[in-house]
Amino acid sequence: MIETISAGLDLDVMLQGVTRLVTETTATDVCFVHLVDERGGKLALRGATPPFDSMVGQIELSAGEGVAGWVAVHGEPVVIVDNKTSDPRYRYIPALRGEDFTSMVSVPVVTPLGHLVGVLNVHTRARREFTTADVDLLRSVAGLVAGAIENASLHRRLAEREEQLERFAEQTMEWQELESRRLAGEIHDGISQRIVSLFFHLSAAADAIAAEPAVAAEQVARAQELASAALDETRLAIAGLRPPVLDDLGLAASLESLGRSFPQHEVRVDVASCRLADHIETAVYRTAQEALQNVAKHARATTVQLRMTVHADRVVLEVSDDGQGIAGSARQVPGGPAIPAASTVPTGFGLSGMRERAELLGGKLVITSAPARGTTVRLVLPLSPAQAAGPPG
C-alpha cells in the first residue's frame, strides 16, 4: 500500500491502485473511494475497482446522502451485514448495482490532523460478518491513503493554479498589446491629424492677419474647433484607460453618477462610500458600466438595482434588472452569455473580457438569468488589507 501511494502524484492512478489492493487485502469484491470536493459540500466517486472504474467522475453524493454521506458527516464507520435497503442511510445508485452485493463497510478517510478527505467503501457479494479487526484494518488503510490523497490534491491544485497564472499572463500581454494599438490608432488617426490641421489653420491665420483680418479670424475659429475636438478625443483616450470621474468623485459617487446617466430606467443605487486600490475601482466601475449599457440595449427593463458592498476581504458588485432575461439561460451562466457590449467609450471591456479581468484579479464574474425573470451580473473581487483603504478621509 505504501509503495502504491508513494509511486507518484497522479491522484486517479493512485486511487485505482488503492482500490485494487484494498479488495485483495480485505477479501472483498469491490471498493469505492469517494472524495470530498473543494467546497466541502459533496462527495465525488474518484476511485473504483472494475467494472465500476468507468463510473469514476460520474457519481456524486451530497453531504449526508447515502451511507458514504452519513459517514462523511458523522466521521464514524458503518457496517451493514445484510438487508441494506432497510437501512435509512442507504441510497440505491443503479449504476453501482447495489443489488449485486450483500454486505458492506464504509469508513472515513481522515488525515492524522483530523481533516476529512473522503470515504472508503467495500462490498461483498456473499453475506459477511465484518469483525472489529476488519474495520480497524480498513481504517488504518484509509489513514495511510488520506495523506497521499491530500498531497496529490494539493499538487493538482498547484498545477492548475500555475496554468491559470500562465493564461492570465498571456491574456495580460494581449490586453496590453491591444490597448497599445488602440491608443496608437486613436493618436495617429484622430488627435495627431487634428493637430496637423490645427497647425495649417494657424499658419494661414498668421499669414493673413495683416492683410486679410477676416480670413485670419476665420482660420483661428477653425483652429479653435480642431483644438476642442482634439481635446475631446484626448479625454476619450484617457477615459479608456481609467475613468477620470473616479479620481474626481471617488468610486461610490461615480457609480451614483453612472446610474443617473441612464434616465430611461429607474436605477436604484446602493453603494458603500470607500476608497479601494485603483485597479479594483476601475474593474468595478467598468463592470457596472458594461452591465448598465447591456440592460439599456437588450433587457427591456424598467428598474435596475446597482448595489456594491465592501467586506474585510472582498468587494461585491451586483447589477440586477427586471427585464426579459436571456433566452435559453435558465440558471447560472458561468462567464456570461454572448451579449454584445454597447459602450460609447472603447474600453475593450465586454462581458467575456470582464470575466477574464475578474479572474486575473483573483475574483469571479457570474451572470444569473432566466427568461422573463431578469438578469443579475455579480462581480466578486478579493481585497488584501492594503487594497481595502476604508472610508475616504
Side-chain angles (χ1 to χ4, degrees), residues 158-188:
L158 179 61
E160 291 174 351
R161 183 62 176 169
E162 288 178 349
E163 290 179 3
Q164 289 176 350
L165 289 174
E166 289 177 0
R167 289 197 300 270
F168 290 156
E170 292 174 357
Q171 291 167 357
T172 300
M173 293 179 66
E174 290 176 3
W175 287 332
Q176 289 175 340
E177 179 64 21
L178 289 172
E179 191 65 15
S180 297
R181 290 181 180 179
R182 181 185 71 82
L183 284 174
E186 289 187 3
I187 292 172
H188 178 271

Side-chain angles (χ1 to χ4, degrees), residues 100-162:
D100 294 347
F101 305 96
T102 303
S103 303
M104 69 173 291
V105 178
S106 181
V107 298
V109 181
V110 182
T111 67
L113 296 178
H115 178 218
L116 176 76
V117 296
V119 175
L120 186 150
N121 292 355
V122 293
H123 299 258
T124 60
R125 291 185 176 86
R127 185 181 185 280
R128 175 170 168 181
E129 296 277 355
F130 285 97
T131 66
T132 301
D134 292 329
V135 177
D136 290 341
L137 174 61
L138 284 169
R139 299 191 74 167
S140 297
V141 169
L144 284 174
V145 173
I149 291 174
E150 195 162 52
N151 288 339
S153 298
L154 288 172
H155 180 268
R156 177 179 54 80
R157 289 198 294 270
L158 179 61
E160 291 174 351
R161 183 62 176 169
E162 288 178 349

Side-chain angles (χ1 to χ4, degrees), residues 265 295 299-305 320-325 372-375:
H265 301 292
V295 170
R300 298 181 183 175
T302 57
T303 303
V304 185
Q305 175 75 39
S320 303
D321 66 70
D322 62 355
Q324 64 182 351
R373 296 181 60 185
T375 300

Side-chain angles (χ1 to χ4, degrees), residues 1-7 12-33 47-50 120-122 128 134 137-138 140-142 144-145 148:
M1 182 66 68
I2 292 173
E3 288 178 359
T4 298
I5 64 178
S6 304
D12 294 326
V13 172
M14 186 265 289
L15 289 177
Q16 289 306 107
V18 165
T19 56
R20 177 181 56 82
L21 285 174
V22 166
T23 54
E24 292 176 359
T25 304
T26 59
T28 51
D29 294 307
V30 293
C31 175
F32 302 115
V33 178
T49 47
L120 186 150
N121 292 355
V122 293
R128 175 170 168 181
D134 292 329
L137 174 61
L138 284 169
S140 297
V141 169
L144 284 174
V145 173

